[in-house]
Amino acid sequence: MAEAIPVGAPSPRIRKIELDRPWAWLAAGWRDLTRAPAVGLAYGVLVALVGWAITFGLWWLGAIYLILPLTAGFLIMGPLLAVGLYEVSRRGERGEKATLGDAIRAFRANPSQIAFMGVTLLLLFLAWIRIAVMIFYLFFGLTPPSPADFVGRVFFSAGSLPFLIFGTAIGAALAALAFALSAISIPLLLDRPQAHVVTAIAASFKAVLDNPATMAFWAVLIVLFVGAGLITFYVGLIITLPLIGHATWHAYRDVVEY
């Protein structure tokens, strides 16, 4: 953690960090969650409820095939959804208590630039959905499988392996781009109201490029924790979402130096 590299005045400086630092971020995130459990769990419950509503809605509409890209797309939009959790951690560092209202109002710290960042991630999310639907139709035709045989055809049929490999590869590439865009950019915009979205994105890319192994390890941990929450039919997200949100704030504080 010794060397600091300028991103460009008046941009922040990016530290070199050790490979094991993500474990410290998770430990700090857990402390924040246990310090303000009402806020974190409220976020987790809300996301779980939205997940259930979307899933049942897609089932009712016969469009259950969209659940896979939407689930993967959650990783793209997740950093924006966690702004309030970053605020809780930011206040915790100062010895201040944060309420759910403080978390909800966190966007006000830098509304225009956080909104620009949100639009950027939303465009990437919409691009992913369009690409995912095209891939699905390419392999399964214009008539998607019914909800009853969806799992069997998509995951266990003879022709599903190329679809899973190709779709996963494309999704992983877009997820990597989203991670590079947002690894530290949104916490930075919250913490530094004078910061511009371009500066924040540049710093985020710099953090990933200067610490490739550590940030890749962090990205894998995020996928594993969020994935564990998703495969439990969103119940696990009640814990894993606020944990990762708080930990992301500590990743930002560890990586960025002014």
Side-chain angles (χ1 to χ4, degrees):
M1 292 176 54
E3 183 182 356
I5 301 172
V7 179
S11 299
R13 295 162 62 89
I14 302 301
R15 296 187 181 102
K16 290 284 191 177
I17 49 178
E18 302 297 330
L19 183 60
D20 62 347
R21 290 304 297 167
W23 296 118
W25 303 340
L26 286 171
W30 180 254
R31 287 194 298 271
D32 289 348
L33 176 58
T34 55
R35 187 180 298 122
V39 179
L41 295 179
Y43 262 77
V45 169
L46 178 60
V47 170
L49 290 173
V50 172
W52 292 328
I54 291 174
T55 300
F56 285 119
L58 292 175
W59 186 282
W60 182 71
L61 293 171
I64 196 66
Y65 62 93
L66 289 175
I67 194 64
L68 291 177
L70 286 173
T71 299
F74 176 79
L75 292 169
I76 296 176
M77 297 303 298
L80 181 66
L81 301 176
V83 171
L85 298 170
Y86 308 151
E87 176 66 6
V88 172
S89 293
R90 186 176 75 91
R91 287 173 178 259
E93 285 184 344
R94 301 176 178 181
E96 303 173 5
K97 291 185 177 181
T99 65
L100 184 58
D102 295 325
I104 293 172
R105 292 188 295 268
F107 289 90
R108 297 181 181 178
N110 193 351
S112 62
Q113 300 308 304
I114 293 176
F116 277 130
M117 191 66 211
V119 170
T120 301
L121 293 178
L122 179 61
L123 291 175
L124 187 60
F125 172 73
L126 293 176
W128 159 240
I129 295 297
R130 177 62 63 89
I131 293 170
V133 170
M134 291 173 61
I135 293 173
F136 191 89
Y137 285 155
L138 178 65
F139 283 91
F140 293 96
L142 297 178
T143 304
S146 66
D149 62 357
F150 174 79
V151 173
R153 285 193 60 189
V154 171
F155 293 100
F156 300 109
S157 68
S160 65
L161 185 58
F163 161 74
L164 293 174
I165 293 174
F166 186 64
T168 301
I170 298 297
L174 289 175
L177 174 60
F179 178 75
L181 281 168
S182 61
I184 62 167
S185 56
I186 300 179
L188 191 155
L189 292 172
L190 173 69
D191 191 41
R192 306 288 175 168
Q194 75 278 12
H196 190 276
V197 66
V198 174
T199 301
I201 290 175
S204 189
F205 269 99
K206 186 74 171 174
V208 172
L209 292 175
D210 284 354
N211 299 282
T214 305
M215 298 307 283
F217 180 42
W218 176 228
V220 169
L221 288 177
I222 292 174
V223 171
L224 290 176
F225 274 82
V226 174
L230 292 171
I231 63 175
T232 57
F233 199 47
Y234 311 113
V235 174
L237 285 178
I238 296 173
I239 297 296
T240 61
L241 174 69
L243 173 61
I244 292 298
H246 289 310
T248 297
W249 170 261
H250 292 283
Y252 155 72
R253 295 290 286 159
D254 209 8
V255 173
V256 171
E257 176 184 23
Y258 273 86

